[in-house]
Amino acid sequence: MRKLLDYSLDELKTLLEDTGEKPFRAKQVMQWLVQGKRFDEMTNLSLSLRRKLKGRYTEGYAEIVRVLASKDGTKKYLFAFEDGCMVESVFMQKDYGNTICVSTQVGCRMGCVFCASGANGFVRNLTAGEILAQVIAVNADNGEGRAITNIVLMGMGEPLDNYDNVVKFLRLVNARDGLNIGMRNISLSTCGLAGKIDRFAQEGLPVTLSISLHAASDGKRAQVMPVANRYSLREIISAANNYFLKSGRRIIIEYAVIDGFNDGTEDVELLRELLLGLNCHVNLIPLNDNSGVALKAPAKRRVYAFCDMLSKAGLSATVRKSMGSDIAGACGQLKQQYQSEK
Ligand code: SAH
C-alpha cells in the first residue's frame, strides 16, 4: 500500500479530490501525519474518510526497533520499515537546538573502508516519506519541549546518490503545514559526488553542504574512499565553491582523523593549498573505531595538535565534540550490533 508520508500537500490535495473530498482536508491530514497520529486518531476527519484512507493507504511511519540512550542525552534509534529494512537515526541535544541525524539509504554504494553503513553493500533507497518518518518518530518519542529544530543528513547512505527522494524530503520537512523546519537548519553531508553537488546548487535551497574529505590528496583518498576514483579533489572543491556562491552557505569540510594516515605536516600543507580559497570550516572527527578495519583512531592530543596546525596554516578548524560515545555512536554500528545478535 502507498504511504501518505510520501505525499506533498499538493499531491495530498489531488489524492483527496480523487476520492471525492474537499482539498482543504489535505492540510488536516498533513498536520496529523507530522504528529505521528494514526488514521483512527485524525478526529477532525469524518469516519468515512478515515475508513477510506485506511483501506487504501498506510500512514508510512517507521517502527522503533531499539533505542539506546546516552548519559549526555543523545539517543540512537534503530528503525524498521514494512519490508523489514532497517536504518538508524540519532537524536542529539546541542547548544543550538535539538538535532536529528537521519539515514537516506539502506546500506550504501560508496564503500568507504572506515564506514559501517556500507559494510554490507547497498540494499535500497529510502523514499522521501521514509526519511521524514524518522524525524516524526523521534519527535513523538521525545515529547513536548524537545522537538527537533535541526536536521543533518549524515546517517546511513549517500544522500546525493538518492537525489530525487532527498530533495523531496527537504521540501516536505520544510513545508509550512508540515514540520516547517528551516532549510538553514539543515545540513547535507556527501562523500563528494561533484556532478550532483552542481545539480543541488541549482535547486536554490539554502541547506548547509558538508563534504567528507578525509584526505588531502587524491591518491591517499582513494585508499579509503573509492569515490576518489570518480571525482578528483579539485572537481569536488570547485563544485563546493560553486555551491557556496549560489547558496551563500559556508561549506563544512569533514575530516576523520586517522592515526598516522592523514594527520601529518604534509597533510596540513596540502589541505591549506586545497582549501584556502574556499569559504569553509574544517570539522575534525577522531576516527570512530570499527571492528574489522585496520585504521586506528589517534590519541586525543594528536587530534588537537593537528587542529592547531590547521589554524596556524590559516584555516578555520575545530574538533567536533563527540556525542553518545557510550552507545554505538557511529553510523551503522547499532544495526551491525543488532544483526549480529540475531
Ligand atoms: N554519505 C555521506 C553521509 C553519511 S556518513 C558522506 O559521506 O558524507 C557521515 C559522516 O561520517 C561522513 O563524513 C563519513 O565519512 C563519516 N564516517 C563514517 N564512518 C566513520 C568512522 N568510522 N569514523 C569517523 N567518521 C566516519
Side-chain angles (χ1 to χ4, degrees):
M1 273 206 280
R2 309 198 61 180
K3 303 173 174 185
L4 284 194
L5 277 188
D6 280 320
Y7 289 71
S8 67
L9 189 64
D10 282 342
E11 289 166 341
L12 277 178
K13 277 183 191 160
T14 310
L15 173 157
L16 286 160
E17 277 177 315
D18 290 347
T19 54
E21 294 287 336
K22 294 271 188 301
F24 76 88
R25 296 279 176 210
K27 222 182 218 184
Q28 295 177 323
V29 171
M30 184 169 259
Q31 285 165 350
W32 287 118
L33 286 172
V34 296
Q35 294 176 60
K37 300 295 185 197
R38 316 291 331 199
F39 290 131
D40 290 331
E41 297 172 292
M42 302 184 180
T43 47
N44 58 1
L45 307 181
S46 70
L47 214 52
S48 80
L49 174 55
R50 281 185 254 166
R51 270 203 210 106
K52 242 192 276 183
L53 291 175
K54 220 168 145 176
R56 295 178 200 176
Y57 306 94
T58 67
E59 297 91 347
Y61 298 133
E63 182 206 338
I64 298 178
V65 177
R66 183 175 279 189
V67 187
L68 294 180
S70 160
K71 290 189 292 256
D72 65 17
T74 302
K75 280 167 132 185
K76 183 133 201 188
Y77 293 82
L78 183 64
F79 286 113
F81 296 106
E82 281 165 0
D83 64 355
C85 278
M86 286 190 270
V87 298
E88 296 176 17
S89 316
V90 188
F91 173 78
M92 293 162 282
Q93 291 171 289
K94 303 227 184 192
D95 23 348
Y96 54 79
N98 296 325
T99 303
I100 184 175
C101 171
V102 294
S103 293
T104 56
Q105 295 180 316
V106 184
C108 183
R109 266 193 272 259
M110 300 300 125
C112 302
V113 302
F114 44 78
C115 179
S117 298
N120 295 312
F122 175 75
V123 181
R124 68 172 177 86
N125 282 325
L126 292 187
T127 68
E130 287 173 332
I131 308 172
L132 185 62
Q134 299 166 55
V135 187
I136 291 171
V138 171
N139 253 344
D141 189 56
N142 283 292
E144 296 268 318
R146 299 177 85 194
I148 289 161
T149 54
N150 297 68
I151 300 176
V152 295
L153 284 82
M154 264 189 210
M156 306 171 79
E158 166 50 48
L160 294 184
D161 186 39
N162 182 15
Y163 190 90
D164 292 340
N165 290 326
V166 162
V167 169
K168 182 167 189 185
F169 159 73
L170 293 172
R171 297 208 162 99
L172 287 179
V173 81
N174 177 245
R176 206 178 326 131
D177 296 301
L179 288 173
N180 199 6
I181 293 177
M183 293 286 181
R184 288 186 163 72
N185 289 1
I186 303 178
S187 295
L188 182 151
S189 177
T190 176
C191 63
L193 300 178
K196 295 282 175 61
I197 293 173
D198 285 339
R199 186 170 161 206
F200 190 57
Q202 302 293 334
E203 304 282 347
L205 307 173
V207 163
T208 297
L209 184 71
S210 296
I211 307 280
S212 299
L213 208 71
H214 306 330
S217 75
D218 289 316
K220 200 178 266 194
R221 199 163 185 260
Q223 290 177 41
V224 290
M225 300 177 75
V227 69
N229 298 310
R230 278 167 70 192
Y231 294 104
S232 69
L233 285 166
R234 293 256 161 257
E235 288 171 301
I236 296 168
I237 297 306
S238 151
N241 188 45
N242 173 46
Y243 187 85
F244 164 72
L245 294 174
K246 287 245 161 64
S247 67
R249 309 292 293 164
R250 182 169 71 153
I251 303 296
I252 302 296
I253 299 291
E254 289 162 278
Y255 195 90
V257 188
I258 305 172
D259 191 51
F261 173 74
N262 63 359
D263 55 353
T265 47
E266 69 284 5
D267 300 295
V268 174
E269 187 47 36
L270 288 168
L271 283 173
R272 192 187 67 81
E273 275 169 35
L274 192 66
L275 301 177
L276 216 50
L278 179 71
N279 190 331
C280 70
H281 177 79
V282 182
N283 236 328
L284 299 174
I285 315 142
L287 182 80
N288 223 309
D289 274 318
N290 248 333
S291 48
V293 175
L295 306 169
K296 261 182 41 197
K300 231 184 188 160
R301 63 180 162 74
R302 273 193 75 111
V303 181
Y304 284 96
F306 189 68
C307 188
D308 256 10
M309 289 195 279
L310 290 180
S311 305
K312 289 201 177 98
L315 295 171
S316 156
T318 45
V319 179
R320 185 191 287 166
K321 194 173 150 218
S322 163
M323 303 192 78
S325 49
D326 52 335
I327 54 177
C331 20
Q333 291 184 348
L334 177 58
K335 181 172 171 182
Q336 255 184 358
Q337 208 176 72
Y338 179 83
Q339 286 175 335
S340 67
E341 287 167 19
K342 296 272 124 175

